[in-house]
Structures are given as C-alpha cells and as structure tokens.
Amino acid sequence: MKKINLEQKSLEIQNIISRYTKESFVCFFADFIRHHPERRNTGFSEKFKSKLKDSLYLIMLRLSTPLEGKEELRYSKESDLVLQQVADILLEIVSFYLSENYDEFDEITDKRQRLLVHELAFKNYFQNGILNYREQEINKVIRMFKPYQDKTQKRLGIDLKTLIDLCTHSELIYRAKSINSKSFILDKKFDKLARQSANGLLAENEFADKLLELSDETQESFLNFFENPHQCLLFTKQDFLPSIEEKYIDIFCDLFSIDIKDTHSNLFYSQQNPLENKPIIKISNNKYLNIYQKQLPSALYDLLYTTLTQTKKEKEQLNFRKGKVVLENHTLELFKKFFKKSKRVSFFTNYYINNHPEEKDILIIADKNAYIIECKASRYREPRRDTEQAYQRIKSDFADCIQKGYDQCYQVEQELINNEKVVIAFKGKSEVILRNDIHEIFSIVVTSERFASIQTDLGLLLKKDNADPYPWSIYVDDLETFLKAIYNRFSNPSRKIFEFLEHRELLHKRLITNDELDVCAMFLQNPKHFKELCESEYVVFTDPTLQNYFDKLYFDKKLKFKIEDY
C-alpha cells in the first residue's frame, strides 16, 4: 500500500472541519452518536467505518485547534459533501494503519498470520464499540467498588451511591428532554403529514405549506427539533436539583467533563481519547453536552480504579478482588440462575481435583454434562501501531488470559476423561465423581475484558492438542446477555446451552466476526441453521446487524438487567 503521512492527513481533516464553530461541531456529532440508528445510513454516515469511534476522534480533533470557526454545522447537502470528504481521508488513515505492511510479507505465512491478528485487534480496539447495556456497566461498578465507600468519599469528596445516582439521573434527564423535544409527533395531523411526505405524496414545497396549517405548538416543536436535534443532550446543573445536592453536582461535572475552551493535542486516530474518561463537554459556565452518555458508568469505573490504587499494595488488592472475588462470584451466580430449572446439578467452586495442588475456579455437573469454567481478569492492552510489537503484546495478553484459562480447564478435563473416578475437594469436604456419570465435557473461559476477534476464533492464537476440542471463551457481559436470552426463550435452557456448545467448537479457524454475541444471535434466531453452518466446511461471516436481536429483546423488556443494591 502507498505510504501516507499520518500527521499531514490528520491536519488536512482538521483544516476542513475548522470552518465550523466548536460548539456546533461537537453538538452535531454528539447527536449523531446518540441518534444515528434512528436515521438513514446515507451520505457521510455510510462512509464511517465506526460511527462511534470516528465521531469521537473528529470531536477531539476539532477541539485540538485554537481556531474558532465561523460556520454553524447543520445537516445539509453542502455539509454532507464536506463530511464525505472528511470520511474519505479518515478511511485512508485507518486503512494505512492496518495495511502498510501487507505488500512486504504477501507470501510469508507466519508474517501474514501476525498481520491478520494485528488488523483484527486494531479494528476491534479502535473501531468497534462493545455491545452491552447500561445496567451491566453500573453493576460492574457496584460489584467492584462497593466495599470502598469510605475511601471513595475521602479521596473524591463524594460517595459511591451519589456518583451512581448522578449517572442514572443523567440518563433520566436525557429521556425526559428527548420526549419533550419530539412532542410534535403526538399531533395526529403532523403524523399524517409526515406519512404523506415519506410516501412521496407531497409536492416539493407542499410539506412546508401544510406545516403552517398545524398548531403553533406543533410548528414550534418541530422547527426546534429540526434546528437543534442535539437539544436533549444538553443539560445544566439545575436539571439535577433537587434530587442531588448542588455540591455533588459540581464535583460530578468537574470529574467527567472537559472544557470546550481547553487546549488539547489529539491529532492521531490511535491516541487515547479524553472523551472515554470524560464523556461530557462543558460548553459554558452552566451549559453541558453529553457526548457519549453510555460511557459514563465506564468512565466512573476507570476513575474509581485510579483513585483507589494509589499504592502498589492497593493495586494488588483491587486486582485480586477483580478476578478472584468479583468475576468468579458473578460468573457463578449467572450459571446458578441459568441452571435452576435443572433437576440434577452440582456446583464446585475453588476446588481441587485428585489432589492436584492447583486450585480451580468452577465446575458444574448439570444433567450429566460437565462444564469446566475458569475466570480470568487479566489485562488486554491497547494494540501498538507497529505490527511486530503489536503482535507480541497481543500474544502475551492472550497467553496470560485465555491460553492460561484453557490450560487449567484442560487439566481438569483430562482427569475426568482418563480416570474411572475423580475426587473433588472443596470447602473442607470432598465428593467422588464417576466417569460413567458424565456424558459430555465442555471447557469455558470467562474473561473480564473483551478480546473480540481473537477470542471468537481461537484458531488464531490458542495452542492445544489437535485432538482436543476448542473451549468456549467469552466476555462476561456477553455471557450474561446470552444466558438470559436462552433462559427466557427456551423451556429447557440446559439442553440449549449443550446444543450451542456442542456445535460452537466446530467454528474455530473459519469464523469471521467481531463479537461473540453475533454468533449467539445466529443460534437464537435459528438453531437448526446454526448447526448446519457449524457442521459445514464453509468460512462463516456473521452479519453485524445480528446484535439487533438483543437490542430488540432489551427494548421490548424481555431482556432485563436488575441494578444491584448499593
């Protein structure tokens, strides 16, 4: 691929978008991030590879120049052409990051493998958002930091409960303003007019003329929405009153906002974006804009982790809690709820098998099938740009997490396969399991971080005996979502997870997907077709719109996540 100057290309984009005022630019893209699923995917939107990541990058790129700009960014044919130009340059940048080394190693298999792993990791890390739900993010904060409330209050001047209440209230404010901003929809005459326009039944200027025939309230509501679709994303400190004390609102805004007037230096696409930790922009003294509201609980998690790990000892203690306490307990509870309909089920936690000295995490015997589960909270670091360095880091993180989890599962699996009986020691007691009482064995590695493509297709990096089946490795939030969906849809969930795992292991080395939930949705939508695909020899590409399956369940209130006590 032709070499490009990344700095020059980034400055080229910055020069184009600096014609727009900072406020109108950030408001435009905040609205785009939140509401693009409700609109047609045309023009510049169609060219964005990641509507979230690309938008966040452009916002920070615009804020990283002192130029104020003179034009107001509103959607029009003219502005769309400008943004299409920006999207084209952005595509050049991303393509260069991923493809600059391909020509050199075109015929070398191991080098091609490294490039593929690097490309997948880069795309997953920088371009793909995580499909999970707000309640899951909040629960993650509660489970991890609930025991540290006094220390949080002392170091931040605000307690955990109030921080979570502020995140929750922020979403409620948005929803109320969103409903209010679209009140014109409730006018039946407007609804009829909109349908006529959408079906091409009105002449070019007829819509505007007929709009004038509607009530003043409907006209004003529609025009306000048309001119300022981002209005529901703006808030003031007074919006939180009287539910939250003023001093805590001040702390919240300081912790999670960046000032639009601040100086930034985010030029490159692969730089850490400040909006991930501070997803609110302070427009003026009492005017704030939610850029990426779903990120608030995640930003809170990162803030609390940093705040509570000021010494090496604190960091070691918190990391131990993250894996050995939080992840294991949460995973165990998920499976306990899932298998509660099973008549024959046993759970073994923090157990030892046949006097082996290494403690294992979870073993479940349900309906004569064994589920060996290892929980891993190891890190997954940002991929480097250089392919060789990036590959070594990705491989190292994979080995510390998924590979280690598989190796531990394999030890238990071999004991169950090669012995007539095994002794499980746990919680000061022991139990004997007979091999003849177990029909099938499945290994599952549950991770606290999302490894995306290198986790969904373990054929890329996992080292194992060719005769041994692949384990199932899954990010814990995806596990929760999938188990809930199976449990709510099927009368015999234990049988369905067996069917899924029995066939899922056949997909490795020929699966192209960014997200395990795409695979899960394939199974839930059509189990028979899923099995046929798994048993075929075809390379399987998942449709990225499959994740809408879970969104529909969620918004139809068939997929529910309860906020834990805090």
Side-chain angles (χ1 to χ4, degrees):
M1 182 178 179
K2 181 182 177 181
K3 298 283 185 179
I4 67 171
N5 186 316
L6 290 171
E7 181 177 4
Q8 181 181 332
K9 288 293 181 181
S10 299
L11 289 171
E12 189 176 341
I13 293 177
Q14 192 175 62
N15 181 59
I16 294 171
I17 63 179
S18 291
R19 72 185 66 185
Y20 301 115
T21 65
K22 290 183 178 182
E23 181 174 345
S24 69
F25 191 86
V26 299
C27 287
F28 180 91
F29 276 100
D31 169 66
F32 179 68
I33 290 170
R34 182 83 193 213
H35 300 126
H36 74 82
E38 304 166 16
R39 296 168 185 161
R40 289 184 299 169
N41 188 29
T42 58
F44 83 91
S45 173
E46 191 174 19
K47 293 188 175 185
F48 275 23
K49 293 301 180 185
S50 170
K51 293 175 174 56
L52 170 62
K53 298 290 186 178
D54 291 355
S55 298
L56 293 176
Y57 168 65
L58 291 177
I59 289 172
M60 286 312 304
L61 191 62
R62 178 63 190 91
L63 296 183
S64 296
T65 172
L67 297 175
E68 290 299 324
K70 296 181 179 178
E71 297 180 33
E72 294 287 316
L73 179 55
R74 298 280 188 274
Y75 185 80
S76 65
K77 291 182 179 179
E78 292 75 17
S79 63
D80 184 73
L81 290 174
V82 173
L83 295 178
Q84 285 194 52
Q85 184 184 357
V86 168
D88 288 336
I89 302 171
L90 189 54
L91 182 59
E92 282 187 72
I93 292 173
V94 175
S95 298
F96 177 70
Y97 271 121
L98 299 175
S99 308
E100 58 176 314
N101 297 314
Y102 266 83
D103 294 338
E104 183 180 353
F105 299 123
D106 192 51
E107 300 299 327
I108 305 176
T109 302
D110 63 332
K111 292 291 186 181
R112 293 286 294 179
Q113 174 80 355
R114 295 181 182 211
L115 287 166
L116 175 61
V117 170
H118 181 209
E119 175 178 347
L120 291 172
F122 185 95
K123 283 182 175 179
N124 296 150
Y125 194 94
F126 289 111
Q127 291 188 289
N128 296 319
I130 296 175
L131 173 64
N132 63 357
Y133 299 98
R134 188 177 145 274
E135 295 92 338
Q136 288 179 302
E137 289 292 335
I138 291 175
N139 282 334
K140 199 176 297 182
V141 172
I142 295 168
R143 286 191 293 267
M144 185 69 167
F145 301 109
K146 188 176 179 179
Y148 305 98
Q149 306 227 29
D150 291 342
K151 192 179 287 188
T152 299
Q153 172 75 51
K154 183 177 180 181
R155 294 184 179 180
L156 292 177
I158 186 171
D159 62 281
L160 177 64
K161 182 181 185 304
T162 304
L163 284 166
I164 294 172
D165 287 346
L166 279 156
C167 290
T168 302
H169 207 70
S170 175
E171 179 66 16
L172 294 176
I173 291 170
Y174 159 76
R175 292 181 184 179
K177 290 191 174 188
S178 179
I179 292 171
N180 185 61
S181 71
K182 300 169 187 173
S183 61
F184 58 88
I185 296 174
L186 301 176
D187 188 327
K188 293 182 179 179
K189 292 181 179 179
F190 178 86
D191 181 64
K192 180 180 178 180
L193 179 61
R195 290 177 184 275
Q196 289 175 334
S197 178
N199 292 325
L201 301 178
L202 300 179
E204 186 174 347
N205 296 321
E206 197 173 357
F207 179 87
D209 292 338
K210 288 187 174 293
L211 182 65
L212 295 174
E213 298 174 5
L214 303 181
S215 69
D216 291 342
E217 291 80 8
T218 297
Q219 292 181 53
E220 183 179 1
S221 174
F222 173 75
L223 292 174
N224 284 340
F225 176 80
F226 187 79
E227 288 293 320
N228 301 294
H230 62 271
Q231 198 68 35
C232 54
L233 295 168
L234 292 168
F235 69 89
T236 68
K237 292 180 179 180
Q238 285 70 37
D239 289 329
F240 290 90
L241 298 174
S243 302
I244 312 290
E245 288 186 49
E246 191 170 350
K247 64 179 180 179
Y248 295 134
I249 302 170
D250 291 340
I251 293 173
F252 173 78
C253 290
D254 288 341
L255 288 174
F256 295 108
S257 70
I258 61 174
D259 197 312
I260 197 169
K261 297 176 183 177
D262 286 347
T263 301
H264 302 280
S265 56
N266 276 71
L267 188 61
F268 298 105
Y269 188 88
S270 59
Q271 276 182 274
Q272 181 73 28
N273 195 312
L275 292 170
E276 292 179 3
N277 291 321
K278 296 194 171 191
I280 297 170
I281 290 182
K282 181 180 180 181
I283 303 293
S284 60
N285 284 339
N286 193 26
K287 183 180 177 183
Y288 294 84
L289 174 71
N290 280 309
I291 292 292
Y292 182 30
Q293 209 158 354
K294 185 177 179 289
Q295 182 69 11
L296 261 177
S298 181
L300 174 57
Y301 185 100
D302 292 340
L303 169 70
L304 291 173
Y305 183 86
T306 302
T307 301
L308 299 170
T309 55
Q310 295 181 2
T311 67
K312 182 180 179 181
K313 183 179 180 180
E314 285 182 338
K315 191 168 187 177
E316 288 174 350
Q317 290 175 340
L318 206 57
N319 285 342
F320 178 83
R321 173 175 173 76
K322 179 181 179 182
K324 200 61 186 171
V325 180
V326 175
L327 181 60
E328 283 188 27
N329 287 346
H330 182 42
T331 301
L332 179 63
E333 286 304 310
L334 292 178
F335 278 106
K336 280 187 173 180
K337 291 177 182 177
F338 181 80
F339 283 116
K340 68 182 182 182
K341 290 182 180 180
S342 299
K343 295 180 180 179
R344 294 167 294 175
V345 59
S346 300
F347 295 90
F348 305 95
T349 59
N350 305 128
Y351 66 96
Y352 298 86
I353 186 165
N354 281 352
N355 295 317
H356 279 265
E358 186 178 4
E359 182 184 273
K360 301 300 191 294
D361 292 341
I362 302 170
L363 173 64
I364 303 171
I365 310 295
D367 301 320
K368 293 193 173 184
N369 297 313
Y371 301 88
I372 307 165
I373 303 166
E374 286 295 318
C375 303
K376 294 298 168 191
S378 304
R379 62 186 174 175
Y380 183 46
R381 294 168 290 180
E382 174 184 314
R384 292 174 175 171
R385 182 184 158 209
D386 177 83
T387 296
E388 192 62 33
Q389 292 180 2
Y391 179 79
Q392 294 305 323
R393 172 179 281 191
I394 295 163
K395 185 178 176 182
S396 174
D397 290 349
F398 182 92
D400 288 343
C401 187
I402 296 173
Q403 183 70 54
K404 185 176 180 180
Y406 162 73
D407 291 342
Q408 291 171 326
C409 287
Y410 182 76
Q411 293 170 10
V412 178
E413 175 192 300
Q414 291 304 299
E415 291 296 321
L416 292 174
I417 291 174
N418 296 320
N419 295 285
E420 290 294 335
K421 63 180 181 179
V422 297
V423 178
I424 306 294
F426 64 105
K427 297 180 180 178
K429 53 186 177 180
S430 62
E431 187 169 323
V432 175
I433 297 176
L434 301 178
R435 185 176 65 183
N436 290 338
D437 288 339
I438 296 176
H439 294 167
E440 293 289 344
I441 301 171
F442 299 104
S443 293
I444 302 173
V445 180
V446 180
T447 63
S448 65
E449 306 294 330
R450 179 179 178 268
F451 284 71
S453 295
I454 60 173
Q455 186 167 18
T456 55
D457 188 349
L458 296 175
L460 292 166
L461 288 176
L462 189 77
K463 295 179 181 178
K464 71 174 190 68
D465 187 298
N466 287 334
D468 193 55
Y470 281 97
W472 184 41
S473 182
I474 186 166
Y475 170 53
V476 65
D477 285 357
D478 292 349
L479 175 68
E480 180 179 27
T481 300
F482 185 41
L483 292 184
K484 281 180 176 289
I486 293 179
Y487 190 86
N488 291 330
R489 178 175 174 189
F490 300 106
S491 58
N492 189 348
S494 179
R495 177 64 189 174
K496 286 302 175 182
I497 194 67
F498 169 84
E499 291 176 4
F500 173 78
L501 293 175
E502 184 181 37
H503 289 85
R504 174 67 179 88
E505 62 192 29
L506 304 175
L507 286 177
H508 297 284
K509 285 195 169 182
R510 57 188 184 89
L511 176 64
I512 308 297
T513 186
N514 292 323
D515 201 305
E516 182 65 24
L517 285 183
D518 290 342
V519 184
C520 296
M522 285 173 59
F523 173 76
L524 289 168
Q525 284 188 328
N526 192 333
K528 182 180 178 182
H529 180 61
F530 177 80
K531 294 173 190 176
E532 290 171 353
L533 279 176
C534 293
E535 292 170 353
S536 74
E537 296 182 356
Y538 301 121
V539 174
V540 175
F541 295 81
T542 63
D543 181 352
T545 63
L546 280 166
Q547 295 183 17
N548 295 336
Y549 178 90
F550 296 103
D551 280 342
K552 187 176 188 310
L553 290 178
Y554 179 77
F555 291 113
D556 288 346
K557 301 189 183 303
K558 295 179 181 178
L559 181 63
K560 297 179 181 180
F561 302 92
K562 182 182 177 182
I563 299 291
E564 297 183 8
D565 293 334
Y566 59 96

